[in-house]
Amino acid sequence: MMQDPSNLLVLALVLPVAGLLLALVVGGRYAGRIALWLMPVGLAIAVMLVVSVIRADDALVYDLGGWMPPLGVALRADGLSAIFILTTVAVIGATGIFARTEFRTLPGQPETRTSLTFWALLLALWGALNLVFLSNDLFSLFVALELLTFSAIPLVCLDGRAGTLAAGLRYLLFALFGSVLYLLGAVLLYGAYGTLDIGLLSGLVRPEPVAWGAAALMTVGLMAKTALFPLHFWLPPAHAGAPAAASAVLSALVIKASLFLIVRLWFDAMPALMNPTAAQVLATLGAAAILFGSVLALRQARLKLLIAYSTVAQIGYLFLIFPLIVRPESGSFAAADLYTELAATVVSTSAWSGGVLQAVSHAFAKAAMFMAAGLIAQSLGHDRIADLSSIGRALPITVLAFALAGMSLMGLPPSGGFAAKWLLLTATIETGQWWWALVILGGGLLTGGYLFRVLAPALFGSRQSVTLRAPVARYREVVVLALALCSVLLGFVRLGAFDLVQIGRLAKAGMGLP
Amino acid sequence: MISTTTLFGLSSVILVGLGLFGLIVNPQPLRKILAFNLLGSGVFLLFGVIARRGAGAGLNSDPVPQALVITGLVVAFAATALAVALLLRLFQETGQAITLDTEDPSIHAPARSNDP
């Protein structure tokens, strides 16, 4: 098996789906155990995938059934996919451990529907995410996105209360709007170019009206699924209403999948379309998301809603990479500029690395924050920010984890968030787009503001004793702390991330030459 | 005289337009779900038109879009089923017809319903 590393791509897809089917057969009592046993295996596969991609120094490709595109459908793992697959399994694994007791069936008690649903959907989510990261075909990606949506929405309304059901329904309607627009775009591309394979499209797409229309439809559709401002209305109630373990996965991973697809579309499938105007529009929406999300987060009364609005804001940073990779003057990829080739290569790499690092460190930090908020809500019986005074005395590890994760979101050194924002800032200065630097810095200040609202009373509140309604298991606190530490420690590995992100990029330097 | 392909193409455009309008403008979830189906039908019809137009030598139509349309129909059907199930459950829980207006306070502030 190991002679051909591209078999890993198939394994990464088969493992969660096999687990899901097995869980449905054996029922909720054992579903959790199956999921937890599969996660180390999945981690091993993801690590092997990363190692194989680095060793091959190129993307791994697996043609399903031995049929090459355009007749067949291919799976493809480049450096970016490998990083996201590893992040996914890490966050899903931590979520599994965190949720182990919450969704288990005690011996002698009847099996609950919630427990089976949670574990089956967690596995389905995992499989769907891997499919999004590995597919190299716009229609497979559509199916993957739909799988992801269908497994994410029931997680939102797992408790079946009216509020969360309404949030789930609203999420579903936004997601359907997004997926149908995406499909319409894919259909237009097929009509114009006769293929849906990303690799083939990248050489065929020309800047012409049909391609522009398709790109616009697909981007708007995916924006709705990513909850980019102004299509973010569904996110806060959905993510804040879900159980803590579910919100962690939804906020950390699910919205990143559609974002990953936007990046794939613009840089891999349609590199000829990528121009400064489109990049500036995307980044403007990102900047609006940062400011709007942060200001709304400042005004929230409940901790989970605050964290959800913070997700709206942090997603914005990821859209800032577009103008930093595509420079305003040259009209093509930054790296294609012959005169400043050396400097431009550095710019393009730092924007790429900054964006990926932001996505990964936000995934860890946001998962940690939602789980910490879940523990706080469980032990206090509420999550009203006004009544969180001195909670740091009662739950020191949880609050420490929340603070560390917050540090990464704010971008304080030496966290992963700092490294990401530093790389993005460097890229803004080097490409001469200082206005995006202001947005990044302003966003950091606002993030500091809304986290201070939570942390200042939590750590330095005047109350002497806090009565906890329910004790919090130590191992769950440790999981949260480990996630937060991952997010902080990512700040130290950024030099290694440079090369991996670039491996297997379809649009390498020079491809965008006019 | 207008050709069949153009006629079906224009019909699909009308369906897409109607569906998008309904999905965005209508506040009632059931109508939104129906509009989504209308929109989906428009997209599938367009795909059929493309299949017809892109027919290779000696074939009636390009088979790839047809395969994709079938998959797309299954996905759209599943989506509709999930949406209707959610809507029915929501109706059971609240006992009233729901609108998903952005201004609806009961949706925007789940704080009350979320307190244990």
Side-chain angles (χ1 to χ4, degrees):
Chain A
M1 168 122 348
M2 279 321 295
Q3 282 81 25
D4 186 7
S6 63
N7 285 332
L8 287 171
L9 274 60
V10 180
L11 276 183
L13 294 181
V14 167
L15 186 79
V17 176
L20 166 67
L21 293 177
L22 197 60
L24 289 178
V25 171
V26 300
R29 196 175 296 276
Y30 304 102
R33 229 168 286 172
I34 292 169
L36 287 171
W37 276 109
L38 286 183
M39 278 155 194
V41 185
L43 184 63
I45 292 175
V47 170
M48 279 196 283
L49 188 64
V50 170
V51 171
S52 308
V53 170
I54 293 177
R55 201 177 287 165
D57 198 21
D58 196 7
L60 302 176
V61 179
Y62 184 96
D63 295 316
L64 292 179
W67 293 92
M68 305 256 290
L71 269 183
V73 171
L75 300 177
R76 186 172 184 279
D78 56 15
L80 198 61
S81 328
I83 293 173
F84 274 97
I85 284 181
L86 188 60
T87 312
T88 300
V89 73
V91 173
I92 293 229
T95 310
I97 301 172
F98 179 83
R100 202 178 54 132
T101 44
E102 199 177 341
F103 293 103
R104 83 173 155 197
T105 316
L106 292 170
Q109 281 187 2
E111 202 177 293
T112 59
R113 193 173 45 178
T114 317
S115 131
L116 175 65
T117 315
F118 176 80
W119 292 109
L121 288 176
L122 193 64
L123 286 167
L125 210 62
W126 183 17
L129 282 165
N130 280 355
L131 189 59
V132 172
F133 298 139
L134 291 177
S135 292
N136 201 34
D137 172 277
L138 293 183
F139 194 77
S140 312
L141 282 166
F142 165 73
V143 175
L145 277 178
E146 292 302 87
L147 267 179
L148 191 63
T149 307
F150 295 164
S151 30
I153 284 162
L155 278 178
V156 169
C157 35
L158 212 50
D159 59 6
R161 280 181 307 214
T164 55
L165 284 169
L169 185 60
R170 167 181 287 236
Y171 181 1
L172 182 59
L173 289 170
F174 265 90
L176 291 182
F177 168 76
S179 50
V180 83
L181 284 191
Y182 171 87
L183 187 64
L184 187 54
V187 166
L188 287 178
L189 281 183
Y190 187 88
Y193 303 107
T195 182
L196 288 172
D197 183 77
I198 289 183
L200 294 174
L201 275 177
S202 75
L204 290 172
V205 177
R206 295 274 153 269
E208 52 193 346
V210 62
W212 279 113
L217 285 168
M218 293 170 104
T219 309
V220 171
L222 292 170
M223 269 163 50
K225 289 197 177 230
T226 316
L228 178 67
F229 177 87
L231 295 171
H232 64 277
F233 295 105
W234 60 268
L235 187 142
H239 284 194
S247 346
V249 183
L250 294 174
S251 227
L253 302 172
V254 173
I255 46 169
K256 305 272 164 50
S258 35
L259 175 96
F260 176 88
L261 199 43
I262 297 182
V263 172
R264 263 259 186 288
L265 275 183
W266 283 98
F267 292 114
D268 289 350
M270 309 188 272
L273 290 191
M274 193 70 220
N275 72 359
T277 319
Q280 297 285 329
V281 169
L282 284 173
T284 308
L285 292 176
I290 295 176
L291 300 177
F292 189 78
S294 302
V295 169
L296 278 177
L298 270 172
R299 298 180 48 206
Q300 295 308 310
R302 285 181 56 233
L303 185 56
K304 282 191 88 177
L305 271 174
L306 180 144
I307 304 174
Y309 273 106
S310 149
T311 300
V312 173
Q314 295 287 321
I315 279 294
Y317 282 101
L318 299 171
F319 283 86
L320 291 185
I321 68 165
F322 290 96
L324 302 181
I325 295 172
V326 186
R327 289 205 299 182
E329 313 95 284
S330 67
S332 61
F333 279 91
D337 196 322
L338 292 172
Y339 296 101
T340 51
E341 195 169 354
L342 190 65
T345 313
V346 175
V347 169
S348 138
T349 328
S350 58
W352 266 115
S353 307
V356 173
L357 200 54
Q358 165 71 14
V360 174
S361 67
H362 172 256
F364 283 110
K366 199 43 67 76
M369 286 178 107
F370 262 120
M371 288 183 194
L375 290 180
I376 290 172
Q378 186 201 353
S379 60
L380 287 182
H382 70 82
D383 68 342
R384 288 184 299 275
I385 296 171
D387 300 330
L388 290 183
S389 176
S390 306
I391 183 75
R393 278 186 237 279
L395 296 169
I397 302 181
T398 307
V399 174
L400 173 66
F402 188 91
L404 283 175
M407 202 172 107
S408 186
L409 282 196
M410 270 184 265
L412 289 186
S415 62
F418 165 72
K421 275 149 204 159
W422 178 256
L423 285 168
L424 290 177
L425 273 179
T426 318
T428 57
I429 303 302
E430 283 173 13
T431 50
Q433 305 179 67
W434 51 268
W435 51 94
W436 300 129
L438 292 185
V439 173
I440 294 173
L441 293 172
L445 279 179
L446 285 169
T447 314
Y450 62 72
L451 290 172
F452 183 78
R453 265 189 69 210
V454 179
L455 285 172
L459 292 173
F460 308 111
S462 53
R463 257 196 295 174
Q464 283 310 308
S465 68
V466 180
T467 45
L468 296 184
R469 280 197 353 186
V472 166
R474 179 55 55 88
Y475 79 91
R476 302 181 84 188
E477 290 196 291
V478 171
V479 170
V480 181
L481 187 61
L483 279 172
L485 278 176
C486 273
S487 162
V488 170
L489 291 178
L490 275 171
F492 295 99
V493 297
R494 69 174 192 275
L495 287 177
F498 272 104
D499 302 328
L500 184 54
V501 177
Q502 294 302 321
I503 293 178
R505 294 248 56 74
L506 281 174
K508 276 214 185 334
M511 252 207 61
L513 271 174
Chain B
M1 190 62 201
I2 194 166
S3 76
T4 331
T5 327
T6 317
L7 184 66
F8 279 113
L10 287 175
S11 324
S12 77
V13 169
I14 293 172
L15 279 179
V16 167
L18 285 175
L20 260 182
F21 181 79
L23 193 56
I24 295 171
V25 170
N26 227 307
Q28 283 161 322
L30 187 59
R31 285 175 185 249
K32 274 186 191 286
I33 296 168
L34 292 175
F36 160 74
N37 274 282
L38 210 56
L39 180 49
S41 309
V43 174
F44 297 139
L45 186 58
L46 181 64
F47 220 1
V49 170
I50 283 168
R52 177 77 189 181
R53 222 188 44 176
L59 289 174
N60 269 337
S61 64
D62 180 359
V64 175
Q66 301 185 354
L68 300 186
V69 163
I70 292 172
T71 318
L73 280 173
V74 173
V75 171
F77 175 72
T80 312
L82 181 59
V84 171
L86 270 176
L87 189 59
L88 279 177
R89 185 68 202 276
L90 190 57
F91 182 73
Q92 280 172 3
E93 288 288 320
T94 56
Q96 57 189 15
I98 328 276
T99 57
L100 287 180
D101 249 341
T102 42
E103 307 304 322
D104 189 344
S106 69
I107 312 290
H108 234 356
R112 285 169 292 155
S113 57
N114 255 10
D115 281 345

